[in-house]
Amino acid sequence: MCNAIATKLGLKPENVILGNGSNEVIEFLGHAFLNPGDDVITCQCAFIVYKLLATAFGVRTIETPSPDYQQNLDDTLAAITPKTRIIFIPNPNNPTGTLVSHAAIAPFMSKVPSSITVVFDEAYFEFLDDPPDTRPFVRDGGNVVVLRTFSKIHGLAGLRIGYAVAPAEMIQVLHKTRQPFNVNSIAHAGALAALDDEAHLRKTKRVVDEG
C-alpha cells in the first residue's frame, strides 16, 4: 500500500505511513512530538479532533481568529510561542470549506521555526479543482506532515484507512508510535482498488459539485 501511494504521489515508500483513518496519524503526532505544557495552534472553526488531541496529551490549543471563516497564516505565525510544537492547517478546512492558497503557503513555511511540525490536513484535497501542492516541502525534508484519507471522496470511511506523507526521518519517528497491525487487510484491499479508480473520483466530485 505504501508503495502504491508513493508511486501515485511521486514520492518514496519511506515517505508514507498508514493509519486507522487519518485520525490515528494525528494521534501518532501527539505521541511523537507533544509533552504536557506544550502548545498546538489551529484556526477557529477547524476540525475538532485537533482540540481533542491537545486535551488528551495535556497541551494547550491556541486558536487563531478566522474572520469570514478564512485561515490567516500571518496570525498563525504571530501566535507561535516557545512551547509551540505542532501547527494544524486543514486545507481545505473542515467544516468551512475555505482554502489556503499555495502562494500563501510557501512564504509561511519559510518563516516557521524548524522545531515546529506543520501538519497540512488534506482530507478533502481531491475535491479541489486546482489544489495547492505540498509535496515539495516533503521532498525538501521540511518539518511537514501531509494527511490524506480514503474516507471522503473514495467513500471508504467504514474501512478506516488514511495516511500521511512526510520526510523519511519524520516517518521513522511516527512508526515508533504505531501499533504493528493498525490497518487490516480488507482496508488495504479497498484502498488499493480505490487509489486508481479515477472514474469513481470524477463521478463523486461531479455529484458533490452539483450539490
Side-chain angles (χ1 to χ4, degrees), residues 14-185:
E14 53 264 36
N15 294 127
V16 184
I17 187 170
L18 300 180
N20 193 272
S22 56
N23 274 26
E24 189 187 31
V25 183
I26 295 173
E27 187 176 340
F28 297 163
L29 292 163
H31 285 296
F33 301 121
L34 295 178
N35 290 299
D38 289 340
D39 293 338
V40 300
I41 299 175
T42 187
C43 64
Q44 290 176 337
C45 307
F47 189 33
I48 191 61
V49 168
Y50 311 142
K51 265 189 171 181
L52 296 177
L53 171 86
T55 300
F57 285 90
V59 306
R60 179 176 66 150
T61 301
I62 299 173
E63 291 184 290
T64 58
S66 298
D68 298 324
Y69 304 108
Q70 298 286 340
Q71 299 181 73
N72 187 312
L73 296 186
D74 289 333
D75 287 346
T76 300
L77 290 170
I80 291 173
T81 76
K83 294 183 178 181
T84 302
R85 296 293 174 263
I86 298 177
I87 296 172
F88 288 103
I89 300 176
N91 206 36
N93 188 21
N94 169 20
T96 67
T98 56
L99 184 69
V100 176
S101 69
H102 188 81
I105 290 171
F108 167 78
M109 289 297 296
S110 70
K111 297 173 184 175
V112 176
S114 60
S115 59
I116 297 173
T117 300
V118 179
V119 180
F120 290 100
D121 189 344
E122 298 183 351
Y124 295 87
F125 175 88
E126 292 91 351
F127 289 99
L128 299 174
D129 292 322
D130 186 22
D133 187 1
T134 48
R135 291 173 299 173
F137 304 110
V138 174
R139 295 190 187 102
D140 292 343
N143 230 21
V144 63
V145 175
V146 180
L147 303 177
R148 299 276 182 89
T149 183
F150 288 93
S151 292
K152 309 306 180 189
I153 200 166
H154 297 287
L156 301 181
L159 291 185
R160 305 309 304 144
I161 182 163
Y163 62 95
V165 296
E169 296 80 6
M170 187 171 292
I171 293 294
Q172 289 173 4
V173 172
L174 296 179
H175 271 302
K176 294 178 181 179
T177 74
R178 179 181 63 83
Q179 292 291 327
F181 308 111
N182 63 320
V183 179
N184 66 73
S185 60

